[in-house]
């Protein structure tokens, strides 16, 4: 099972992804948590470039997709084939929200490149942790070049539009709630989905 966590920086998605990994391991399931961009040697080097250097939006998009291609082929697909639950801290929806809605790149182009980079792989389940932008930015200690207020407002709006279009896959979670309350909701949904998979 492939589960992704999405949301703006400071939404709490990384905390929740980590909580889910720990919970699944405690239940005796094999689970692994990976982050985007990153998770491979090439991906981590690209991550450093992306967060440190100013660049053209198309360059940015292609670097994200390059890191993703490595992660999918070297880590995600092999782990899934071993029967593990793979949890992703960001995946294709982030690229659509940040580079598509945020940077204003053609959405059809972003979707096409997402499909190439993932080899058509789509998460079984996605949690969008939706948090007020000012609250999210106030939580962030390590600032990066993706945190301009107007840009993040566009990104959040993009995430909400994506969630509206894919209600079967994406569950919208209120990230303004205490972390324990957020995780309680996530755990309930995951348990239901895993049970459905077992039945089939």
């Amino acid at each position: 099972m492939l589960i992704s966590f999405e949301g703006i920086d400071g939404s709490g998605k990384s905390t929740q992804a980590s909580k889910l990994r720990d919970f699944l391991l405690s239940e005796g399931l094999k689970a692994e948590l990976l982050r985007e961009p990153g998770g491979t040697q090439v991906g981590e080097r690209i991550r450093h470039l992306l967060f440190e250097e100013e660049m053209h939006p198309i360059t940015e998009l292609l670097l994200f997709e390059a890191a993703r291609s490595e992660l999918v082929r070297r880590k995600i697909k092999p782990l899934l084939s071993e029967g593990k639950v793979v949890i992703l801290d960001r995946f294709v929806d982030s690229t659509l929200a940040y580079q598509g809605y945020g940077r204003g790149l053609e959405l059809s182009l972003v979707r096409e490149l997402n499909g190439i980079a993932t080899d058509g792989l789509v998460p079984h389940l996605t949690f969008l942790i939706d948090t007020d932008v000012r609250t999210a930015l106030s939580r962030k200690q390590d600032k990066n070049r993706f945190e301009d207020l107007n840009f993040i407002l566009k990104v959040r709006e993009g995430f909400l539009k994506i969630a509206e279009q894919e209600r079967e896959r994406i569950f919208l979670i209120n990230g303004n709630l205490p972390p324990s309350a957020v995780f309680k909701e996530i755990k309930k949904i995951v348990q239901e989905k895993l049970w459905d998979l077992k039945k089939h």
Side-chain angles (χ1 to χ4, degrees):
M1 189 176 194
L2 181 63
I3 303 172
S4 61
F5 280 79
E6 301 283 6
I8 58 174
D9 280 352
S11 62
K13 61 172 181 51
S14 300
T15 298
Q16 296 301 327
S18 183
K19 279 177 175 285
L20 180 59
R21 188 263 321 270
D22 293 347
F23 168 71
L24 293 176
L25 289 174
S26 74
E27 291 290 301
L29 291 165
K30 295 174 181 176
E32 187 133 356
L33 173 59
L34 301 167
R35 71 174 181 176
E36 273 212 346
T40 65
Q41 192 171 358
V42 170
E44 291 297 333
R45 291 175 75 173
I46 291 174
R47 182 185 182 90
H48 178 75
L49 267 178
L50 281 164
F51 286 103
E52 298 298 324
E53 303 291 338
E54 289 295 331
M55 61 187 70
H56 190 279
I58 288 287
T59 309
E60 187 177 278
L61 171 62
L62 292 171
L63 283 173
F64 273 111
E65 300 294 7
R68 176 169 298 134
S69 176
E70 281 291 295
L71 187 65
V72 166
R73 288 161 177 82
R74 294 189 183 276
K75 289 286 186 74
I76 297 173
K77 284 195 166 184
L79 289 169
L80 289 173
S81 69
E82 291 170 18
K84 291 187 176 179
V85 178
V86 179
I87 302 163
L88 297 176
D89 185 346
R90 295 202 182 285
F91 200 43
V92 289
D93 299 306
S94 276
T95 310
L96 200 55
Y98 277 82
Q99 281 66 53
Y101 289 99
R103 298 284 190 227
L105 295 179
E106 190 66 47
L107 297 180
S108 59
L109 171 65
V110 179
R111 287 193 177 99
E112 184 179 358
L113 290 174
N114 277 345
I116 292 168
T118 61
D119 199 22
L121 190 66
V122 178
H124 296 96
L125 179 59
T126 297
F127 292 105
L128 172 55
I129 314 297
D130 181 49
T131 309
D132 169 75
V133 170
R134 292 186 187 278
T135 302
L137 289 176
S138 71
R139 291 173 179 170
K140 286 288 292 175
Q141 293 177 338
D142 301 325
K143 301 296 180 188
N144 63 54
R145 69 185 188 85
F146 293 96
E147 289 171 23
D148 172 75
L149 179 60
N150 290 330
F151 174 65
I152 292 296
L153 286 167
K154 284 190 238 176
V155 171
R156 180 181 176 234
E157 198 58 41
F159 270 129
L160 293 173
K161 285 178 182 173
I162 297 164
E164 182 68 26
Q165 292 160 7
E166 295 204 52
R167 291 183 179 182
E168 286 293 308
R169 172 175 67 89
I170 302 174
F171 287 80
L172 189 62
I173 308 289
N174 182 357
N176 295 314
L177 295 171
S180 58
V182 172
F183 185 65
K184 186 177 179 182
E185 192 173 347
I186 289 168
K187 185 168 78 169
K188 180 173 179 287
I189 294 165
V190 169
Q191 286 172 319
E192 287 171 358
K193 290 289 180 181
L194 283 171
W195 178 249
D196 285 345
L197 277 181
K198 282 178 184 175
K199 284 193 295 185
H200 293 99

